[in-house]
Amino acid sequence: MYAIQHKNSGGGVNGNSTVIIGDREVLVVDSGYLPSVAREDIAQIRQWADKPVAFLLITHFHNDHNNGSSTYRAAYPNVTVVAQEETKKDMDMIQPGNIERTPREYSEAMAAYKQGKDTDGRALTDDEKKQVQAEMPILEQAVTEFRTIVYESPSLTFEHKIDIDLGNRQVQLLHFERGNTAGDAMAYLPKEKILAAGDLLVYPLPYVGDGFPSEWAKTLRQMGQLDVDTIVPGHGPVMHDKTYLYLVADLMQSYVDQVRARISQLGFPGSHTLDEIKGSVDLKPFRQKFVGDDKDQQKAFDTMADQLVKITFSEAAQR
């Protein structure tokens, strides 16, 4: 097995990919953000193995994990694209629009930057102008690449588990409860004690743009019960114990417990606002554990914390 930790590219983040090689065929977990990333990975896979990529698991619908799928299809026409059934639903609904919309948004951003403004029309500072000037070639490349992407819908779905034999290598594709999305999938190698976790686990801070915190905490604890020595997160370096996994689970559970405690004081959350909840959540102990004294990471943690309160409140209000 090989883990590929991609650098961010094309104006966006870039999820990790995992390459699992059997005696007969190969399974890849996630296809990257841009076709060029997928092409580089495919070239590397061909150095590692003279076997076809027979399966491509998409762990969830976020496009930095699946935009490269049509590149894999071009290289391996018989590849089966696999996803949990909720992920396929989300991908089919969201991804065609993402592929069409993103190059237009990048082009609009570049036009604004050339006028010395941000996308909201605010004048850029001198430092910001230098920063966006450096980003312009990256955005131009992304626009070109996005126009070549063909949406690749998963052709094989599952609810909770699929067992795959790659030839003397057993892989279990698993889904527990909802977490980062409604359909997060993992690839588990029980013999090798390896887990490719997707964005259920992201380092150095969890990604909480959306999600289901109460179920996420449960999912992470179920992951912790698997017999694993190595974890490949959706972003960040390979992990060799479960310390960070349990830290994220504790963070999620603390949010859920504190928000629920506040709701129990106020009453049904649909009758109240996020601001009435937000001030009652204290995560200072977790801030220190995650980022220590790093000022930049402290700001990132605070931004993440605000969003996590928002989605925890939203989840509770929808019950």
Side-chain angles (χ1 to χ4, degrees):
M1 187 211 80
Y2 298 90
I4 303 175
Q5 185 178 348
H6 298 118
K7 296 179 180 179
N8 292 341
S9 63
V13 296
N14 215 335
N16 293 340
S17 293
T18 303
V19 180
I20 304 169
I21 301 171
D23 289 345
R24 185 175 60 253
E25 50 203 6
V26 178
L27 182 150
V28 174
V29 180
D30 288 332
S31 62
Y33 182 59
L34 291 175
S36 58
V37 172
R39 285 194 295 270
E40 290 176 4
D41 289 354
I42 290 166
Q44 180 60 72
I45 291 167
R46 286 173 169 161
Q47 294 294 314
W48 287 330
D50 59 355
K51 304 167 182 65
V53 174
F55 299 95
L56 174 62
L57 171 67
I58 303 303
T59 57
H60 61 294
F61 74 89
H62 295 160
N63 62 4
D64 59 307
H65 294 261
N66 68 69
N67 276 351
S69 298
S70 59
T71 306
Y72 274 88
R73 171 70 67 196
Y76 302 99
N78 294 321
V79 67
T80 298
V81 181
V82 190
Q84 202 275 342
E85 57 191 20
E86 293 300 323
T87 289
K88 176 178 167 57
K89 291 177 185 177
D90 285 338
M91 287 177 64
D92 288 348
M93 177 173 60
I94 296 169
Q95 288 309 97
N98 275 345
I99 293 169
E100 179 182 350
R101 183 177 60 254
T102 300
R104 182 175 68 248
E105 291 177 344
Y106 283 175
S107 296
E108 291 170 354
M110 287 190 292
Y113 295 159
K114 289 177 181 178
Q115 296 176 9
K117 300 177 182 180
D118 68 8
T119 52
D120 294 324
R122 178 183 63 83
L124 298 172
T125 66
D126 288 342
D127 286 344
E128 288 171 336
K129 288 179 181 178
K130 292 177 182 177
Q131 181 179 348
V132 300
Q133 189 64 34
E135 292 176 355
M136 292 290 274
I138 299 171
L139 294 175
E140 289 172 355
Q141 177 192 352
V143 168
T144 300
E145 290 207 43
F146 260 90
R147 288 173 176 159
T148 70
I149 295 173
V150 177
Y151 173 59
E152 187 71 36
S153 180
S155 57
L156 175 64
T157 64
F158 68 100
E159 184 177 7
H160 293 296
K161 182 181 179 183
I162 292 181
D163 290 300
I164 294 177
D165 181 0
L166 299 174
N168 199 33
R169 178 144 290 164
Q170 301 293 324
V171 184
Q172 297 176 2
L173 307 185
L174 304 174
H175 168 76
F176 294 148
E177 298 188 55
R178 296 185 298 181
N180 173 57
T181 69
D184 296 288
M186 300 160 277
Y188 174 47
L189 285 70
K191 181 180 178 181
E192 293 83 0
K193 301 183 179 181
I194 296 171
L195 178 69
D199 279 6
L200 286 165
L201 208 59
V202 169
Y203 184 89
L205 295 170
Y207 175 73
V208 294
D210 48 24
F212 308 87
S214 65
E215 293 182 50
W216 200 338
K218 294 176 184 177
T219 294
L220 288 166
R221 297 197 184 283
Q222 287 178 277
M223 291 162 62
Q225 295 303 306
L226 295 173
D227 185 12
V228 296
D229 296 328
T230 302
I231 301 174
V232 182
H235 299 259
V238 173
M239 302 171 187
H240 297 287
D241 60 39
K242 301 174 183 176
T243 302
Y244 183 76
L245 183 152
Y246 282 119
L247 178 61
V248 176
D250 290 345
L251 172 76
M252 296 288 174
Q253 194 61 55
S254 181
Y255 265 92
V256 171
D257 292 345
Q258 291 186 64
V259 169
R260 286 178 175 174
R262 181 60 173 156
I263 289 172
S264 71
Q265 294 174 341
L266 294 173
F268 180 64
S271 303
H272 299 280
T273 67
L274 175 62
D275 287 340
E276 292 176 89
I277 303 292
K278 186 175 176 180
S280 65
V281 178
D282 179 15
L283 292 169
K284 291 186 180 67
F286 286 101
R287 193 177 192 250
Q288 181 63 33
K289 290 177 181 178
F290 273 91
V291 301
D293 297 325
D294 186 315
K295 300 299 183 183
D296 291 336
Q297 287 287 15
Q298 285 175 355
K299 292 179 182 178
F301 180 91
D302 293 342
T303 299
M304 180 275 297
D306 287 345
Q307 182 63 21
L308 188 49
V309 172
K310 180 179 178 180
I311 65 172
T312 303
F313 176 73
S314 176
E315 183 185 36
Q318 294 175 37
R319 289 190 174 278

